């Protein structure tokens, strides 16, 4: 009888290179052995000849609960599997209240274990209702990170945290080794600019970017890193769209601080002149989609391996929240779980960057960032057998076939060069290239391991 439950063989993409004609042996949901050449026998054989094998994607910024009764973790996990995402790291800003206490966290863990098709790790946050003292219970309960905002996106659900409170939160969280991620946007400058434009009747598709200047983002990014430097906490800017943001992060890193940085796939693959003009409010994000000249600069930081990881910032707003002719009255964000991997792979190809960068930015690095790398982010022996098969295929993305809660996307019509052919989570087939084949509840809640601080 075979020693393995599953053997997958093909060209294996890893963080440091590509293993041609490699094989992975899976036993009890874990990678049990590795090799090259002729694969050993197994109960099930996955022949990925002519295709790519890579570790499952860890999407470090997912908002599945921003609109009550609309998507939720279970539905989002289906879209995740279709996009090669085997770990969703879900944000705390759920409707109607954010996850800022231990009972709320426990209820969300129960939702994961009841509804999800892939594995899930969870952010927590702190607010006035439950107080700073809730941090200890959230840490003990298993959050993998904390999220805060320097801007009030929604009263109550997504509040602004004042600088002195942000300092205290960082100080309390620092000893745990968990990261403190912050939405980087200056509230007073934002509101002043928006008021000025609205008063002038300047509310068309291009006004949003002009209201949210690079200075608004960069000042907030610097504030986050300085509070991290003062407290010793792991300070993380959650969605950086400017080259200057990377320069700021590098400055703090070089001074020895635990500063990390994230950009989102839309800031790498969309631009203001073409895509915002074409799709209008569908491309409305915080921060805004930038001009192509800024996009080009962001890719230089990707090529230099200066980015901690790339995420989707997924949220499935209905189109009724994206159709107002006044750009400022539309919701920010859009669906992205299914496009993160094919879009970033395509972008790397277009910029002459190795597929190994895809694994670093989408798998290994976010697993390390959220202290999940004892199980996730690689196909090393002992890791969870989260295996993605990618078919080289050129096509135009069609969101009408999405498994998300909505069938629209600002990537509609974008040329991609790979398609997810199969997604395995812990050795179990979840997505077969056409649909979901496992059961709700097969996903697991992931607790972070405890280890030394990592930059």
């Amino acid at each position: 009888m075979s020693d393995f439950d599953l053997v997958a063989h093909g060209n294996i993409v890893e963080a440091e290179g590509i293993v041609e004609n490699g094989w992975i042996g899976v036993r009890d949901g874990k990678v049990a052995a590795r090799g090259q050449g002729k694969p050993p026998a197994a109960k099930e054989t996955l022949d990925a000849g002519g295709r790519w094998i890579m570790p499952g994607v860890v999407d470090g910024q997912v908002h599945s609960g921003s609109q009550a009764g609309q998507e939720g973790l279970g539905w989002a996990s289906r879209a995740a599997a279709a996009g090669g995402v085997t770990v969703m790291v879900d944000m705390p800003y759920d409707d109607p209240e954010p996850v800022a206490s231990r009972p709320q966290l426990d209820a969300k863990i129960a939702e994961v274990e009841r509804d999800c098709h892939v594995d899930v790790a969870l952010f927590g946050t702190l607010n006035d209702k439950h107080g700073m003292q809730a941090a200890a219970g959230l840490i003990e309960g298993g959050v993998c990170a904390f999220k805060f905002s320097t801007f009030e996106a929604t009263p109550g659900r997504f509040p602004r945290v004042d600088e002195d409170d942000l300092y205290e939160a960082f100080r309390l969280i620092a000893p745990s080794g968990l990261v403190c991620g912050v939405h980087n946007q200056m509230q007073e400058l934002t509101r002043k600019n928006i008021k000025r434009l609205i008063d002038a009747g300047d509310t068309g598709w291009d006004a949003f970017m002009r209201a949210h200047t690079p200075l608004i983002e960069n000042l907030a990014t610097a504030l986050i890193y300085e509070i991290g430097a003062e407290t010793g906490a792991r300070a993380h800017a959650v969605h950086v769209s400017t080259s200057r943001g990377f320069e700021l992060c590098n400055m703090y890193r070089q001074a020895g601080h635990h500063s990390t940085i994230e950009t989102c796939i839309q800031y790498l693959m969309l631009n203001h002149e073409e895509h915002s003009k074409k799709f209008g409010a569908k491309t409305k994000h915080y921060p805004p989609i930038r001009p192509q000249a800024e996009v080009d600069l962001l890719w230089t930081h990707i090529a230099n391996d200066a980015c901690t990881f790339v995420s989707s910032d997924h949220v499935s707003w209905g189109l009724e929240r994206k159709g107002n002719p006044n750009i400022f009255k539309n919701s920010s964000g859009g669906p992205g779980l299914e496009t993160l991997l094919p879009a970033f792979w395509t972008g790397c190809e277009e910029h002459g960057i190795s597929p190994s960068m895809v694994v670093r930015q989408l798998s290994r690095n976010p697993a390390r960032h959220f202290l999940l790398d004892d199980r996730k982010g690689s196909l090393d022996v002992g890791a969870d057998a989260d295996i993605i098969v990618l078919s080289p295929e050129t096509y135009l993305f069609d969101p009408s076939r999405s498994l998300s809660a909505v069938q629209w996307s600002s990537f509609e019509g974008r040329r991609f060069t790979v398609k997810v052919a199969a997604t395995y989570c812990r050795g179990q087939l979840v997505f077969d290239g056409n649909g979901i084949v496992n059961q709700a509840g097969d996903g697991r809640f992931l607790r972070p391991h405890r280890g030394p601080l990592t930059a």
Side-chain angles (χ1 to χ4, degrees), residues 93 340 358 364 453:
Y93 297 119
L340 172 59
V358 178
R364 185 196 67 182
L453 292 178

Side-chain angles (χ1 to χ4, degrees), residues 246 253 261-263 301-302 305-310 361 365:
F246 281 86
R253 282 175 174 169
I261 191 165
E262 171 187 352
T263 193
H301 295 292
I302 295 293
D305 218 359
C307 188
T308 307
F309 64 94
V310 177
Q361 291 294 321
N365 290 7

Side-chain angles (χ1 to χ4, degrees), residues 192-260:
K192 181 185 291 186
N193 285 353
I194 290 174
K195 182 180 185 304
R196 174 176 52 83
L197 290 170
I198 290 176
D199 288 348
D202 187 358
T203 59
W205 68 270
D206 61 335
F208 186 74
M209 187 196 72
R210 289 184 284 109
H212 295 79
T213 62
L215 182 65
I216 284 172
E217 179 181 338
N218 295 337
L219 285 174
T221 299
L223 184 152
I224 294 161
Y225 292 142
E226 187 59 27
I227 294 176
E230 287 277 345
T231 59
R234 296 175 61 204
H236 180 73
V238 301
H239 36 41
V240 172
S241 69
T242 68
S243 179
R244 178 59 181 160
F246 281 86
E247 294 171 1
L248 289 166
C249 183
N250 288 337
M251 181 174 71
Y252 280 88
R253 282 175 174 169
Q254 289 167 9
H257 302 297
H258 297 287
S259 303
T260 53

Side-chain angles (χ1 to χ4, degrees), residues 254-405:
Q254 289 167 9
H257 302 297
H258 297 287
S259 303
T260 53
I261 191 165
E262 171 187 352
T263 193
C264 304
I265 189 62
Q266 54 268 23
Y267 304 122
L268 295 169
M269 298 298 285
L270 305 178
N271 66 67
H272 176 74
E273 303 95 318
E274 178 184 355
H275 302 100
S276 293
K277 184 176 182 180
K278 178 179 180 181
F279 291 113
K282 288 181 180 179
T283 64
K284 181 183 175 184
H285 289 267
Y286 278 130
I289 303 301
R290 301 292 184 188
Q292 184 62 47
E294 194 72 36
V295 174
D296 293 340
L297 291 176
L298 289 183
W299 275 105
T300 67
H301 295 292
I302 295 293
N304 286 334
D305 218 359
C307 188
T308 307
F309 64 94
V310 177
S311 67
S312 73
D313 200 7
H314 168 90
V315 59
S316 282
W317 298 126
L319 281 177
E320 71 278 1
R321 302 183 69 152
K322 287 288 191 176
N324 198 299
N326 181 338
I327 192 67
F328 299 110
K329 292 185 177 181
N330 295 282
S331 296
S332 295
L337 282 162
E338 287 162 288
T339 48
L340 172 59
L341 172 55
F344 189 62
W345 183 289
T346 300
C348 285
E349 274 195 2
E350 291 173 350
H351 290 84
I353 297 173
S354 167
S356 291
M357 184 64 76
V358 178
V359 173
R360 291 202 288 277
Q361 291 294 321
L362 302 190
S363 303
R364 185 196 67 182
N365 290 7
R368 288 179 174 177
H369 181 80
F370 295 108
L371 306 183
L372 305 173
D373 53 314
D374 58 333
R375 294 149 286 169
K376 304 295 185 179
S378 78
L379 292 173
D380 294 341
V381 171
D384 284 353
D386 291 0
I387 299 170
I388 307 304
V389 179
L390 291 173
S391 295
E393 183 176 339
T394 299
Y395 62 101
L396 304 181
F397 180 68
D398 178 5
S400 71
R401 303 181 64 183
S402 171
L403 297 189
S404 179

Side-chain angles (χ1 to χ4, degrees), residues 25-308:
V26 178
R27 185 186 307 118
D28 297 328
K30 298 281 188 180
V31 177
R34 297 272 311 259
Q36 280 185 277
K38 184 178 179 180
K43 296 175 185 176
E44 179 186 354
T45 298
L46 171 61
D47 183 358
R51 297 179 289 178
W52 302 98
I53 293 173
M54 65 170 279
V57 170
V58 179
D59 189 343
Q61 190 172 177
V62 178
H63 298 263
S64 72
S66 294
Q67 186 176 352
Q70 199 265 359
E71 182 172 55
L73 283 163
W75 202 337
S77 73
R78 296 168 56 85
V85 175
T86 54
V87 178
M88 298 191 305
V89 187
D90 203 68
M91 287 291 175
Y93 297 119
D94 295 346
D95 185 13
E97 292 188 1
V99 178
S101 70
R102 179 64 180 274
Q104 290 171 305
L105 175 64
D106 290 343
K108 196 164 183 179
I109 292 170
E111 181 185 351
V112 170
E113 294 175 343
R114 182 191 69 226
D115 296 342
C116 286
H117 294 264
V118 299
D119 293 344
V120 179
L122 296 175
F123 273 84
T125 192
L126 302 174
N127 63 7
D128 290 340
K129 180 176 180 178
H130 298 284
M132 293 287 176
Q133 65 271 16
L138 290 165
I139 292 167
E140 196 276 336
V143 297
C144 70
F146 283 83
K147 173 76 179 291
F148 305 100
S149 181
T150 56
F151 180 85
E152 183 182 81
T154 305
R157 183 181 72 83
F158 205 133
R160 181 187 190 276
V161 180
D162 291 336
E163 287 78 8
D164 55 345
D165 291 332
L166 198 59
Y167 176 93
E168 181 63 13
F170 274 41
R171 188 186 68 81
L172 286 171
I173 294 163
S176 72
L178 298 180
V179 74
C180 297
V182 187
H183 175 117
N184 47 327
Q185 180 180 357
M186 299 300 287
Q187 179 158 300
E188 293 79 9
L189 288 175
T190 298
R191 290 182 171 175
K192 181 185 291 186
N193 285 353
I194 290 174
K195 182 180 185 304
R196 174 176 52 83
L197 290 170
I198 290 176
D199 288 348
D202 187 358
T203 59
W205 68 270
D206 61 335
F208 186 74
M209 187 196 72
R210 289 184 284 109
H212 295 79
T213 62
L215 182 65
I216 284 172
E217 179 181 338
N218 295 337
L219 285 174
T221 299
L223 184 152
I224 294 161
Y225 292 142
E226 187 59 27
I227 294 176
E230 287 277 345
T231 59
R234 296 175 61 204
H236 180 73
V238 301
H239 36 41
V240 172
S241 69
T242 68
S243 179
R244 178 59 181 160
F246 281 86
E247 294 171 1
L248 289 166
C249 183
N250 288 337
M251 181 174 71
Y252 280 88
R253 282 175 174 169
Q254 289 167 9
H257 302 297
H258 297 287
S259 303
T260 53
I261 191 165
E262 171 187 352
T263 193
C264 304
I265 189 62
Q266 54 268 23
Y267 304 122
L268 295 169
M269 298 298 285
L270 305 178
N271 66 67
H272 176 74
E273 303 95 318
E274 178 184 355
H275 302 100
S276 293
K277 184 176 182 180
K278 178 179 180 181
F279 291 113
K282 288 181 180 179
T283 64
K284 181 183 175 184
H285 289 267
Y286 278 130
I289 303 301
R290 301 292 184 188
Q292 184 62 47
E294 194 72 36
V295 174
D296 293 340
L297 291 176
L298 289 183
W299 275 105
T300 67
H301 295 292
I302 295 293
N304 286 334
D305 218 359
C307 188
T308 307

